[in-house]
Amino acid sequence: MRRRTAGLAAGALAGALTLTGCSDSGSNAPDRADLSVASPYMPQPVSADMAAGFLTITNEGGAGDELTAVSSDVAGQVTMHSTSGGAMAEESSFGIPAHGRLVFRSGGNHLMFEKLKRAPKQGQTVTVKLTFAKSGPLTVEMPVKAATYTPSTGH
Ligand code: CU
């Protein structure tokens, strides 16, 4: 199935959904990234002005891309951090390899929601917009979970 159409910027979200919907057509995007987001969550923050967020971005396409910016309706600013040896560092971008994944998880890479405009509570969702170097932006509804939530146990 050929999809080398223009208009990546216009309606890239719709395009991604379409591609996801025809998974029986094999490799959809041999020469560009094909991004989707899974397992987003925010532990209910214990701090009044800062929260963390986690998600996984999967690239089923044949070209890499980069996550270059994150924003949210609840935060004045969202920054991207890596963790190594227990110390975290702010990153300006994260690579998403072809046929690979970019994982944000507790103890590793994470999103930091700063200058919170309201306190996210368990059961709510926050809207997160992901901006990429090549692909169009993706908007994610990120559920707020218990402060102690762990994806592996589901509670
Ligand atoms: Cu951090």
Side-chain angles (χ1 to χ4, degrees):
M1 181 167 192
R2 299 230 153 237
R3 280 193 176 271
R4 292 215 48 188
T5 48
L8 263 182
L13 179 57
L17 291 172
T18 306
L19 289 173
T20 306
C22 56
S23 55
D24 59 341
S25 59
S27 182
N28 280 314
D31 53 6
R32 63 176 175 81
D34 179 6
L35 305 177
S36 59
V37 176
S39 312
Y41 77 98
M42 169 184 284
Q44 181 176 302
V46 291
S47 154
D49 54 15
M50 192 174 283
F54 307 102
L55 49 79
T56 296
I57 301 172
T58 299
N59 183 1
E60 294 187 338
D65 205 339
E66 271 178 77
L67 177 65
T68 54
V70 183
S71 61
S72 172
D73 61 331
V74 293
Q77 184 182 14
V78 183
T79 54
M80 303 180 277
H81 291 195
S82 61
T83 303
S84 110
M88 68 179 191
E90 185 171 341
E91 306 286 348
S92 58
S93 67
F94 277 96
I96 313 162
H99 305 293
R101 296 193 304 170
L102 169 61
V103 178
F104 291 89
R105 65 168 162 245
S106 182
N109 302 332
H110 55 278
L111 304 176
M112 297 277 276
F113 295 70
E114 299 167 28
K115 301 172 188 161
L116 291 180
K117 298 170 183 171
R118 61 178 169 86
K121 296 281 188 241
Q122 184 176 352
Q124 297 177 340
T125 59
V126 302
T127 302
V128 179
K129 183 181 175 190
L130 307 172
T131 304
F132 302 97
K134 297 175 195 159
S135 305
L138 292 176
T139 300
V140 180
E141 292 301 318
M142 175 178 276
V144 181
K145 302 288 197 179
T148 55
Y149 177 79
T150 0
S152 54
T153 61
H155 52 80

